[in-house]
Every structure is written in C-alpha cells, then in structure tokens.
C-alpha cells in the first residue's frame, strides 16, 4: 500500500476570510497538495471582498460555484432561500444585501463563471464533488434526512463511488451498504451548531488501493471576526453564533433531529 | 415570467380546447401514505378531501399494505415519507407503521393533534430520540384565536390543538404547526409574524410553522367557492424550472384504494393510477383544476 497524495476539501466560506486563512494554513501544514472549495463564498460574515484574493491567487486551489455564488454572480435579487419564517427571511435578506453591495463587479463575474462540479479518479474510485447534491446545487443532504437507499440512488445516477458536498453547514460522513461513500464537509464560514467555535473541513488521504477521509475542526480568531462583524453593523444574532457556536437564525431549514441538537 | 391572470381569463375559450401539460415522474423522492384514508375525528370546513367521521371512501390501510408500499419505495431510493389521513392517530396500528417506515427513511406525520394523549406524546418523543432518521410531526392550526380556528375546524378544537402542541413540546418534540391560509391576510408577512408570535406566547420558544394555500376542492369548494372555469393549466403553461418544483414530479400517494399522483387528488376517481405503487411510476397529466393552485402557489411538500 502506497500513500499517493493528500487532499483537502472544504465549503461554505460565508465571507469568513479569517477561517479561510486558518483552514488553508491547516491543510497545507498537513501536507495537502490539492485543495477544493465546494462553493458559497458569501453571506453571514464581514468584508466579502477579502476572500477573493485568497481564493483566486492560489495554484493549489480549485473553486466551484454554490447557490449563493450563482445568485451573487448573476446579480439576482436574493439568495432564493425562500424561508417562510419572517425572522429567518429578514436575516437572510440583510446578509444577502450586505454581501451583494460589498462584492466587487470583477469578483461577481468570477463567481458567475465558476464550474459547478469536479470529477476525479482516486484509487480507482469515481469521485464527484458537488455543492448541494449531484442533481441540484441547492439540495440539502442532511445526515438525518438522507436515507441510505436515497444516497445509493444519487450515486448510481451520478456514476460516482465517493461524493463530497457542503451546503448544509453541518459535517457528517457515511459508508453505504454498497461500499460507496458520502462526505458532507460542513462549512468553514460558521460553526456547525454544536456549541463549538471551530469550523470543519475534510482531509483525504489517497492510497493506491483506498481513500481515507477524515473530518477536521479548525480554530481561528473568531473573536476578531465577531468584532469586525459588529463594526460592519451586521446583526448581533450572527455575532452570537460566531462567539457561541450555536445557530441563531436560518434554522427553519434544519430537519427536526438536527434542530433539536442546537440551542434555537 | 409572471403569471398573467387577465390573459388567462380573456383566452379562456380558446384555451379550453388545448390539452393539459404532461409531467414526468423525475424520481420517487417522496412517498405519501393515506394511512387512515378519509376518516377523521374532525370534519373541517376547508378540508380539500372532505374527510370526516363518516367518510370512508378511502378506508384504513393495513400494516401490510403500508409495509409493501414503503419497501417498494425504498427499493426506488426514496428520500422521505409522509403519513396523512384523515387523522393518522385514529389507526390502532399507528405505532407499528411509524416504526417500520422509520427503518427506511425520515418520516413526517400530519395530524390535528387532538388524539395524542400524554402516553402517545411520550412514545413519539422517545421514537424521535431513538430513530436513526429524522421523525417529525405537523399539527394543523388555522387561527391565532379561538373564533378564527374554530370557524374552520369546529367548536372547541382551538383549545384541544393548543393543548396537544403543549403536550408534545413538554415531551420533547417541536412539531411544525401547519396553517392553511384561508383567512384574509394570514398568508402575508404580517399574518405570518402574528402566528409566530402567538405560538411563542404559548411557550414554544422556537416555533416551526408552515403555511399552505387552500385548494378549492372537497369541502372547501362549498365553503370558499370552487375554481373558475379558466383556472386550469394547458400545454405550455409551466414556467421554466417549474416542472421539477411541482411536488408530483417527485411524489406519489398510496391509499387503501391504490396509487394517486399526489395527496390532493385522491377523491378524483380519474386520478387513480392503479392498485400498487409500481403502477404509479409514470408520467401524469395536470388536468385537474387543483393543479392550477400548485402552479400559482408553488406548492411543495418540503419546508
Ligand atoms: S383538514 Fe385535516 S383534520 Fe380537518 S377534516 Fe380534513 S383531514 Fe381531518
Ligand atoms: S394537484 Fe398539484 S401536486 Fe397534484 S397533480 Fe396537480 S399539480 Fe401535481
């Protein structure tokens, strides 16, 4: 058995350039030779334009388009989250407008033109990376609402053995009865509603005969992020999430089980 | 593209001769099960399938029929399951049906809540905690005041439904409260806010709500009026990307009588697609006027 390469996969930057820097540092220190970003640069955090120099300048980094990037890139009116909870909707709007106004045109164009999936062959396994699900950019694959049989179906349709997604913001991974594997890498832009201030991403070890995936937590200067969010006039509720690790808004989309694990 | 009602009205006569749109089944993502048929402990005035204590046009499903449908769906790679009726908690075997379905995927049970006593609430909460997949309840409530709700759901139901929500909440569940927007303004931003505040005021700190437009069929047709002649769909009406958003592109409904395209059309004999779920895995025609409501309101079963 021979170790061929090490790869990092993350998603959901949400303007959090501090966690982006910390994640990339962590991945590179661990020896990652290729790094994949599964989309959603904007929303939630401060100073949207600060993530772009980091993302656009690196040779070892490949970036894909998420649903948020699609909306910002194509200059759409909103993130199309479609919350019916007026409170969730209110915060989603603030977040979208702030990000839209503070993203330079050139960066918007870059978002508009990003690819929407990556395919690779690692150790003879067909690898697919997507933002939401292989069939829809904005489909949520939550742990508690994605049955084995459904995931098997998605992977067969997509002709993949190993799937990486983000979009939901809470990491999990599962090996299916067939041996196929699904990894939700979580998000690096905000904590995973688990009371920790760290963020999550995946490190992949590719051997000649197998692929190992491990989820990692990364700490970053979340207190500085919180201060900058306050200075930018972003809602206190968002700041609270960064400081406590609990989601305070946009929780309507959580399945009952994931919601019950959180504080709100 | 905007919906142009004036255009539809003006061209009603020529449109009447056009065939309805056809809709493929994209994939069976969602299986609905009418576990108690059309039998219900209530007889709400806006019930679009005229359910009630005396309506047995669709009878209870047997545990075996539920098992067969769920296993067939699971073999197709179905994503989630919904139980409805009538009132699912009328069924003596409801617990067994919930357990067997949860082995295959996440389940949501639609209920008016009234029959859920403390013992059942505890069992449901325990099932929620122990199940591998998500398990959810939707409890219907149609007003923030007694008079508003009871005018639709029947005298005394407001207090009973609230008591049930409180019972479930105390047991550790946070059901989605489902509101049919029959009252003026209840679907608008203000109406929604009022509902959230009301539920919060009853001790549910993080309310979960879902708002649904009424369908002008069943008992609702007599209460609020039926569809106008021009309120129907013809070929070419579906907006770009709409097909995949209509719930019937990814769901089917099974009742004791057989398989239907969706939960809305089970009282239309011409909507019956066959006896077993397999018979329903094919394209449908959107020729019912209720389809117009889905088109206008963008009805989906997911939150
Ligand atoms: S609306 Fe629901 S509770 Fe009311 S009669 Fe119909 S099925 Fe029963
Ligand atoms: S009523 Fe709605 S869900 Fe049912 S077949 Fe028509 S469009 Fe589809």
């Amino acid at each position: 058995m021979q170790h061929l390469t090490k790869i990092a996969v993350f998603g959901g930057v949400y303007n959090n350039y501090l966690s982006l820097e910390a994640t990339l540092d962590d991945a590179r220190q661990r020896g990652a030779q290729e790094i994949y970003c599964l989309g959603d640069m904007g929303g939630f955090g401060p100073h949207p334009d600060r993530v772009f120099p980091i993302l656009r300048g690196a040779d070892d980094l490949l970036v894909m388009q998420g649903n948020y990037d699609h909306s910002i890139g194509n200059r759409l009116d909103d993130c199309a989250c479609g919350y019916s909870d007026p409170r969730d909707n209110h915060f989603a709007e603030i977040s979208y407008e702030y990000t839209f106004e503070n993203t330079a045109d050139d960066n918007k164009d870059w978002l508009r033109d990003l690819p929407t999936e990556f395919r690779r062959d690692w150790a003879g396994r067909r690898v697919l990376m997507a933002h939401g699900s292989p069939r829809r950019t904005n489909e949520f694959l939550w742990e508690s609402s994605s049955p084995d049989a459904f995931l098997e179906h998605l992977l067969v349709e997509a002709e993949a053995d190993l799937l990486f997604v983000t979009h939901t913001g809470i990491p999990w991974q599962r090996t299916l009865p067939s041996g196929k594997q699904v990894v939700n890498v979580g998000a690096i832009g905000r904590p995973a509603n688990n009371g920790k201030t760290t963020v999550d991403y995946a490190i992949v070890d590719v051997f000649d005969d197998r692929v190992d995936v491990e989820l990692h937590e990364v700490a970053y200067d979340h207190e500085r992020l919180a201060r900058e969010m306050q200075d930018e006039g972003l809602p206190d509720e968002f700041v609270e999430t960064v400081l406590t690790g609990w989601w305070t808004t946009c929780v309507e989309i959580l399945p009952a089980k994931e919601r019950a694990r959180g504080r709100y | 593209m905007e919906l142009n009602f004036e255009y539809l009205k003006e061209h009603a006569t020529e449109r009447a001769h056009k065939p309805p749109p056809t809709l493929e089944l994209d994939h069976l993502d969602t299986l609905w099960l009418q576990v108690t048929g059309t039998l219900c402990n209530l007889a709400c005035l806006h019930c679009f399938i005229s359910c009630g204590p005396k309506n047995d046009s669709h009878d209870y499903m047997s545990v075996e029929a539920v098992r067969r449908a769920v296993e067939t769906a699971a073999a197709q790679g179905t994503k989630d399951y919904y139980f409805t009726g009538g009132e699912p908690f009328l069924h003596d075997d409801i617990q067994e049906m919930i357990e067997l379905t949860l082995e295959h995927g996440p389940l949501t049970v639609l209920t008016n809540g009234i029959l859920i006593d403390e013992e059942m609430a505890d069992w449901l909460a325990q099932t929620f905690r122990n199940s591998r997949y998500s398990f959810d309840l939707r409890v219907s409530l149609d007003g923030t005041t007694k008079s508003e709700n009871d005018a639709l759901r029947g005298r005394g139901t407001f207090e009973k439904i609230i008591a049930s929500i409180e019972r479930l909440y105390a047991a550790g569940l946070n059901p989605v409260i489902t509101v049919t927007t029959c009252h003026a303004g209840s679907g608008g931003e203000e109406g929604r806010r009022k509902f959230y505040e009301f539920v919060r005021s009853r001790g549910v700190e993080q309310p979960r709500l879902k708002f649904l437009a009424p369908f002008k069929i069943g008992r609702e047709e007599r209460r609020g009026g039926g569809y106008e002649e021009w309120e129907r769909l013809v070929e070419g009406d579906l907006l770009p990307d709409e097909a995949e958003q209509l719930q019937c592109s990814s769901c089917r409904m099974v009742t004791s009588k057989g398989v239907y395209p969706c939960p809305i059309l089970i009282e239309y004999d011409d909507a019956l697609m066959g006896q077993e779920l397999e018979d329903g895995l094919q394209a449908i025609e959107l020729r019912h006027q209720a389809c117009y409501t889905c088109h206008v309101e963008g009805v989906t079963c997911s939150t």
Side-chain angles (χ1 to χ4, degrees):
Chain A
M1 175 189 55
Q2 202 190 342
H3 186 253
L4 298 179
T5 185
K6 205 182 265 289
I7 285 151
V9 189
F10 71 89
V13 183
Y14 311 150
N15 298 340
N16 190 341
Y17 70 100
L18 292 169
S19 71
L20 174 61
E21 278 168 351
T23 303
L24 293 176
D25 279 353
D26 191 76
R28 286 173 182 141
Q29 261 167 34
R30 288 172 191 274
Q33 287 165 322
E34 267 175 65
I35 304 174
Y36 293 88
C37 169
L38 306 190
D40 276 5
M41 293 2 126
F44 191 69
H47 308 300
D49 266 344
R50 292 193 187 168
V51 302
F52 294 98
I54 309 171
L55 290 170
R56 295 178 68 170
D59 290 340
D60 57 352
L61 191 54
L62 283 127
V63 185
M64 134 183 354
Q65 184 185 64
N67 57 306
Y68 217 86
D69 311 314
H70 179 268
S71 290
I72 298 271
N74 288 288
R75 280 85 169 161
L76 303 185
D77 292 338
D78 57 52
C79 61
C81 297
Y83 295 110
S84 66
D85 181 337
R87 188 172 170 276
D88 278 357
N89 208 16
H90 168 73
F91 287 116
E93 274 170 23
I94 292 179
S95 176
Y96 189 79
E97 271 165 34
Y98 172 79
T99 303
F100 191 84
E101 276 165 23
N102 292 287
T103 304
D105 264 337
D106 173 51
N107 289 329
K108 284 183 182 144
D109 291 345
W110 183 74
L111 289 174
R112 184 195 58 208
D113 298 334
L114 288 172
T116 53
E117 66 168 45
F118 296 123
R119 283 184 185 267
R120 293 291 179 269
D121 189 321
W122 295 340
R125 308 192 74 190
R126 298 166 303 172
V127 178
L128 172 61
M129 292 178 237
H131 179 76
S133 83
R135 60 181 189 178
R136 276 196 284 280
T137 308
N138 62 357
E139 180 164 25
F140 294 103
L141 296 185
W142 304 102
E143 185 170 25
S144 81
S145 62
S146 302
D148 288 349
F150 170 67
L151 294 173
E152 296 273 14
H153 161 78
L154 284 185
L155 271 74
V156 167
E157 286 285 297
E159 300 180 348
D161 305 308
L162 173 53
L163 171 69
F164 291 89
V165 294
T166 173
H167 191 49
T168 65
I170 300 181
W172 56 274
Q173 64 167 322
R174 195 188 300 165
T175 303
L176 302 173
S178 66
K180 291 180 191 288
Q181 216 177 333
V182 177
V183 183
N184 188 319
V185 299
I188 62 159
R190 78 174 166 160
N193 199 21
N194 55 6
K196 295 182 192 178
T197 55
T198 51
V199 294
D200 305 273
Y201 81 110
I203 285 277
V204 187
D205 281 295
V206 183
F207 299 88
D208 55 352
D209 63 344
R210 67 166 210 274
V211 181
D212 288 353
V213 183
E214 216 178 294
L215 293 164
H216 283 276
E217 292 172 359
V218 185
Y220 68 99
D221 193 345
H222 64 283
E223 284 171 359
R224 176 169 155 199
L225 190 86
R227 276 195 305 277
E228 291 187 16
M229 288 168 82
Q230 266 157 349
D231 292 345
E232 282 296 284
L234 288 164
D236 290 343
E237 286 79 358
F238 292 3
V239 176
E240 184 187 332
T241 297
V242 167
L243 292 174
T244 63
W246 297 114
W247 293 4
T248 53
T249 62
C250 304
V251 286
E252 182 185 314
I253 46 161
L254 287 167
K257 246 186 163 41
E258 277 81 356
R259 180 137 185 193
R261 275 188 223 128
R263 182 181 285 175
Y264 295 98
Chain B
M1 201 148 86
E2 289 288 311
L3 292 164
N4 185 337
F5 301 111
E6 287 312 314
Y7 174 90
L8 295 180
K9 271 186 234 177
E10 268 168 36
H11 294 77
T13 338
E14 67 179 82
R15 282 169 50 85
H17 300 293
K18 289 197 190 164
T22 305
L23 190 70
E24 299 289 334
L25 179 68
D26 196 21
H27 172 249
L28 185 65
D29 275 7
T30 300
L31 179 68
W32 286 87
L33 298 126
Q34 192 84 13
V35 291
T36 43
T38 39
L39 286 151
C40 193
N41 54 333
L42 302 183
C44 305
L45 290 181
H46 65 340
C47 186
F48 61 83
I49 35 179
S50 314
C51 294
K54 294 198 194 89
N55 184 354
D56 59 359
S57 71
H58 292 261
D59 211 338
Y60 286 4
M61 288 179 79
S62 67
V63 174
E64 271 329 292
V66 170
R67 188 188 310 276
R68 208 161 55 235
V70 168
E71 285 176 1
T72 305
Q76 303 273 330
T78 287
K79 190 177 184 183
D80 48 15
Y81 301 86
Y82 288 78
F83 282 4
T84 181
E87 171 48 50
F89 287 97
L90 278 172
H91 205 302
D92 285 339
D93 301 322
I94 186 69
Q95 293 176 328
E96 193 179 347
M97 298 190 299
I98 288 172
E99 278 173 343
L100 80 89
T101 305
L102 277 173
E103 306 247 313
H104 296 279
L107 169 66
T108 303
V109 180
L110 278 59
T111 171
N112 57 45
I114 291 173
L115 300 173
I116 301 175
D117 58 16
E118 213 162 295
E119 199 184 326
M120 182 59 91
D122 284 340
W123 183 85
L124 292 167
Q126 197 186 332
T127 303
F128 169 72
R129 282 190 294 271
N130 296 340
S131 67
R132 175 173 174 213
Y133 297 122
S134 209
F135 174 47
D136 220 344
L137 291 174
R138 285 193 190 162
V139 180
S140 309
L141 178 71
D142 289 323
T144 53
T145 59
K146 196 178 172 130
S147 60
E148 222 175 40
N149 175 80
D150 290 6
L152 293 167
R153 307 207 136 244
R155 208 172 338 136
T157 56
F158 184 72
E159 293 303 340
K160 287 183 187 155
I161 295 167
I162 305 272
S164 165
I165 292 168
E166 287 173 348
R167 226 172 357 254
L168 288 165
Y169 198 65
L173 291 173
N174 188 5
V176 176
I177 294 159
T178 310
V179 183
T180 307
T181 54
C182 287
H183 294 294
S186 57
E189 177 107 2
E190 247 331 285
R192 286 174 186 220
R193 198 181 304 279
K194 212 169 84 191
F195 245 102
Y196 275 91
E197 274 158 22
F198 167 71
V199 177
R200 226 172 254 129
S201 77
R202 301 301 290 232
V204 179
E205 282 166 56
Q206 283 85 43
R208 301 170 67 216
L209 277 93
K210 186 174 172 70
F211 297 86
L212 293 171
F215 287 91
K216 302 185 220 172
I217 53 176
R219 220 175 276 122
E220 171 68 5
E221 183 173 349
R222 295 193 285 282
R223 188 198 70 91
Y227 288 98
E228 302 279 349
E229 189 43 42
W230 56 269
E231 290 180 308
R232 59 173 69 251
L233 297 175
V234 302
E235 221 169 53
D237 280 352
L238 295 188
L239 306 170
D241 298 330
E242 185 184 345
E244 69 174 42
Q245 277 155 30
L246 288 173
Q247 64 168 341
C248 46
S249 72
S250 61
C251 85
R252 287 296 179 259
M253 159 62 95
V254 172
T255 84
S256 59
K257 277 190 183 171
V259 58
Y260 293 80
C262 70
I264 297 137
L265 300 176
I266 64 161
E267 291 235 287
Y268 293 86
D269 289 340
D270 62 347
L272 180 66
M273 300 178 79
Q275 289 312 302
E276 300 291 331
L277 177 55
E278 288 91 334
D279 303 325
L281 305 177
Q282 41 179 305
I284 53 168
E285 279 183 351
L286 305 180
R287 66 188 127 81
H288 294 270
Q289 289 195 283
C291 301
Y292 178 80
T293 296
C294 293
H295 172 63
V296 176
E297 302 287 342
V299 173
T300 60
C301 41
S302 49
T303 306

